[in-house]
Amino acid sequence: MPDDNEWHPQHHSDTCAIAAQEGVLEDVGGVRPPEDEMIVVAEREGWYTPGGGTPMLDVGRLLAYYGLEVSQHVHADLGSLHDALDRGDGVIVGLRAETLAGEPDDLDLAACSGIPGQTADHAVRVVGFEGHDVVLDDPARGVGAVPVEVFLESWRESGNFMVTAAGGRS
């Protein structure tokens, strides 16, 4: 059985959403296509632009492509996040990486092709909760827990965008 807390690193600076989907595919779907294969599919389908990344509303399309049942949620909350994890769903959220890391916010997202109008600039898997912390598989930084207040502030930048994925179609 896959380990939900295994790190799924991104291999390129703009493939966090692809790496997050790779982790969900392994943990929920039992398959792990290579990131490079997923990049080819996503680029061909228009879900990923090299140098621009994956637009928020295209996160989850690779999961569906590989056979998972996917739902996108805007304005999700901690309760819906808990419910999804309790069901065994894979969960990906959009975040503002600088807020999550407590770093200065000097990235101009308006200049990034493929994600116009977004203030969120990063996708991570939520893999659980430990006390008052949220455990993330962050493709850029590894698996680790962050205080729920920091998570919520960073998540708010995406309009509390969440993708859930359940086992494959019959």
Side-chain angles (χ1 to χ4, degrees):
M1 174 158 210
D3 178 4
D4 287 349
N5 290 330
E6 178 185 344
W7 184 34
H8 293 85
Q10 64 191 72
H11 299 289
H12 307 279
S13 64
D14 60 356
T15 58
C16 57
I18 291 174
Q21 290 175 93
E22 178 186 15
V24 170
L25 281 169
E26 181 178 16
D27 292 341
V28 176
V31 298
R32 188 171 184 177
E35 183 177 312
D36 288 340
E37 174 186 312
M38 295 175 68
I39 289 170
V40 168
V41 170
E43 189 173 358
R44 180 186 70 223
E45 298 295 327
W47 307 326
Y48 164 77
T49 303
T54 301
M56 188 168 61
L57 293 178
D58 288 329
V59 176
R61 297 200 189 277
L62 280 167
L63 300 173
Y65 177 88
Y66 285 99
L68 299 184
E69 295 181 16
V70 177
S71 298
Q72 292 184 341
H73 313 268
V74 180
H75 307 299
D77 58 26
L78 282 179
S80 57
L81 202 156
H82 271 284
D83 291 346
L85 292 173
D86 287 346
R87 286 190 307 269
D89 291 352
V91 177
I92 299 171
V93 297
L95 301 171
R96 182 71 171 185
E98 296 77 15
T99 304
L100 186 66
E103 297 172 351
D105 190 1
D106 57 2
L107 179 64
D108 178 14
L109 288 173
C112 296
S113 63
I115 51 174
Q118 285 186 195
T119 56
D121 61 356
H122 195 42
V124 302
R125 281 191 324 133
V126 178
V127 295
F129 291 88
E130 288 179 357
H132 200 59
D133 294 340
V134 182
V135 181
L136 305 177
D137 173 3
D138 182 337
R141 293 184 175 86
V143 175
V146 298
V148 70
E149 295 83 8
V150 173
F151 171 79
L152 288 171
E153 182 181 349
S154 181
W155 191 25
R156 189 175 308 115
E157 297 293 331
S158 72
N160 289 41
F161 180 77
M162 176 174 77
V163 172
T164 59
R169 300 178 286 253
S170 313

